[in-house]
Amino acid sequence: MKLEIENLTKKFGDLVAVDDVSMTIEDGEFVTFVGPSGCGKTTTLRCVAGLETPTSGSIKIDGEDMTYASPKERGTAFVFQDYALYPHMTARRNMSFALESTSMSDEEIRESVESTAEMLGIREHLDQTPGELSGGQQQRVALGRSIVRDPKIFLLDEPLSNLDAKLRVQMRAELQQLHQEIKSTTIYVTHDQEEAMTMSDRIAILNDGRLQQIAPPEVAYSQPANEFVAGFIGSPSMNFLDCTVSNGTVETAAFSFDAPDGAHGAVTLGIRPENITLGPPSDDGHVDATVSVFEQVGSFNIVYLDIDGLDDVVAQVPGAKQFEPGARVSVTIDTGRIHLFADDGETVHNPPVFTKQPAAAE
Ligand code: ATP
């Protein structure tokens, strides 16, 4: 089902929780809403589900105006962070409960529950109660409870936030697989940008109730629409340095290089930590820095640098590169990967998106 959100605004008294948000989500698409706490993700989702009435704007499902329709009429299924299974019912009954009031026969219900449980890998747990299941298994029962209803649109609000880090990563992959199988239009809410990047066809970045950008993950990463998106997507975050552009040159307190076309008016230079290379200290015109903090991650490491005239600059280096705090290094930035922003935060220049290797021909 195609979902169209048009000029959606939701106010609570004077507070504007959702501010003129518009987007179209195509049939079968997986879109993630991401943004800091309080940016309006849940409220937007609740408006789509019919749990909140918009102050203005409209919501269409497959072309039909559903702005004021009841949740039931919309055919959406909502999975919350606190999925609250019925503790005294078995996993099977938790999943079948909502179907008992429909026209489905007992046999159809049994089949639907069992095939869904099979898909979710919880078939052998169907006769256990939630108290006898692990967090991940409970989470799957909560998802299964929604899937059996065969929703037109799946709305998931931080469904993995109660799980430990390892299980989250595992469930993330499982949810993607599940989406490929059931192909329902899905909106997924998270404040975790990594979760958004890894799961979605497109991510919608919200801030202060306003939609900042909706784009495929690789585009939001390489071509952020503004400084907010640039800083929110990616970990460790992009470095932002004050700059001026004149006579075809970008200049910061430490770096100076040829400006890209159209760089006029930029006041902030953005550079991602992985686009900074550290080498041995040199006296051939390179910028030198002192390592202030070295963070061991493993597969890569994070280096905080003191550079004369600049605030902390963060570089990401390969796992084999190790530094003691106080080490002197030379710093090179990849000028082909810089971003430039105007003083209102809008993007003036972005590097190209990395292209994907196409699938091999059959
Ligand atoms: P989080 O990640 O913390 O869940 P969110 O992005 O989902 O945040 P919302 O829950 O949509 O944000 O809230 C957006 C704003 O609206 C917040 O400032 C919140 O306090 C406010 N808000 C949400 N629901 C209500 C309500 N029922 N009454 C009053 N204010 C509300």
Side-chain angles (χ1 to χ4, degrees):
M1 293 281 160
K2 177 170 161 179
L3 172 71
E4 290 161 278
I5 301 174
E6 287 169 359
N7 305 109
L8 181 73
T9 294
K10 176 67 187 175
K11 295 182 185 167
F12 296 105
D14 288 339
L15 182 110
V16 185
V18 180
D19 191 357
D20 199 24
V21 167
S22 297
M23 69 179 78
T24 299
I25 300 177
E26 298 298 336
D27 185 28
E29 209 182 359
F30 192 121
V31 170
T32 300
F33 290 177
V34 67
S37 185
C39 71
K41 307 178 291 291
T42 297
T43 306
T44 307
L45 203 68
R46 287 174 62 83
C47 289
V48 172
L51 301 172
E52 297 283 358
T53 308
T55 307
S56 59
S58 70
I59 288 159
K60 287 186 189 148
I61 298 178
D62 253 9
E64 197 178 335
D65 191 335
M66 289 282 178
T67 317
Y68 301 104
S70 71
K72 223 173 177 167
E73 289 169 282
R74 299 177 192 222
T76 52
F78 205 119
V79 180
F80 298 93
Q81 173 180 343
D82 296 312
Y83 41 81
L85 298 171
Y86 296 109
H88 56 286
M89 290 183 189
T90 59
R92 180 188 298 278
R93 187 85 204 290
N94 265 288
M95 285 172 68
S96 65
F97 189 65
L99 301 180
E100 290 167 12
S101 57
T102 67
S103 58
M104 284 171 83
S105 70
D106 288 354
E107 184 53 25
E108 284 168 334
I109 293 176
R110 195 179 60 78
E111 252 171 44
S112 167
V113 167
E114 290 187 358
S115 64
T116 303
E118 185 76 45
M119 185 163 69
L120 291 166
I122 48 168
R123 177 95 191 241
E124 67 273 31
H125 300 293
L126 278 177
D127 296 311
Q128 289 171 290
T129 54
E132 297 167 327
L133 299 174
S134 72
Q137 289 159 349
Q138 290 181 32
Q139 192 74 67
R140 280 172 239 195
V141 175
L143 283 169
R145 179 169 65 176
S146 298
I147 295 168
V148 292
R149 291 171 46 206
D150 194 19
K152 294 186 220 158
I153 298 180
F154 235 122
L155 306 173
L156 305 170
D157 192 356
E158 306 238 14
L160 308 185
S161 52
N162 292 338
L163 305 180
D164 67 47
K166 201 163 176 188
L167 200 52
R168 278 177 81 123
V169 172
Q170 184 191 334
M171 284 294 293
R172 212 150 82 179
E174 285 179 17
L175 271 178
Q176 277 173 282
Q177 242 170 13
L178 191 70
H179 179 250
Q180 277 158 18
E181 281 178 46
I182 62 175
K183 297 197 168 63
S184 308
T185 308
T186 302
I187 305 181
Y188 185 97
V189 165
T190 181
H191 61 271
D192 179 345
Q193 59 87 29
E194 188 180 304
E195 212 161 87
M197 287 291 286
T198 50
M199 298 183 73
S200 328
D201 293 319
R202 285 190 299 162
I203 57 183
I205 302 106
L206 291 143
N207 189 32
D208 272 346
R210 298 192 74 96
L211 179 64
Q212 306 291 310
Q213 185 170 12
I214 176 164
E218 66 277 15
V219 175
Y221 189 79
S222 295
Q223 305 202 318
N226 56 40
E227 205 173 322
F228 175 80
V229 174
F232 192 79
I233 299 294
S235 177
S237 287
M238 188 183 285
N239 295 288
F240 294 110
L241 314 177
D242 291 341
C243 74
T244 56
V245 181
S246 61
N247 302 324
T249 304
V250 179
E251 231 168 303
T252 75
F255 304 96
S256 164
F257 52 90
D258 287 348
D261 287 346
H264 189 71
V267 298
T268 305
L269 166 72
I271 183 84
R272 292 205 181 273
E274 70 269 27
N275 299 129
I276 298 178
T277 312
L278 307 184
S282 64
D283 37 32
D284 63 357
H286 267 95
V287 173
D288 279 357
T290 305
V291 172
S292 59
V293 176
F294 178 70
E295 281 180 3
Q296 195 83 245
V297 179
S299 55
F300 62 88
N301 298 315
I302 298 170
V303 189
Y304 290 75
L305 301 165
D306 270 342
I307 303 178
D308 272 352
L310 297 177
D311 293 337
D312 254 353
V313 170
V314 178
Q316 182 177 315
V317 298
K321 284 228 171 194
Q322 305 275 324
F323 298 94
E324 293 285 356
R328 292 289 290 168
V329 290
S330 64
V331 182
T332 310
I333 62 175
D334 179 350
T335 54
R337 300 300 309 168
I338 60 156
H339 305 256
L340 293 168
F341 306 97
D343 63 359
D344 61 359
E346 290 302 306
T347 300
V348 171
H349 169 83
N350 274 325
V353 180
F354 293 118
T355 50
K356 287 186 181 172
Q357 178 165 338
E362 293 269 306

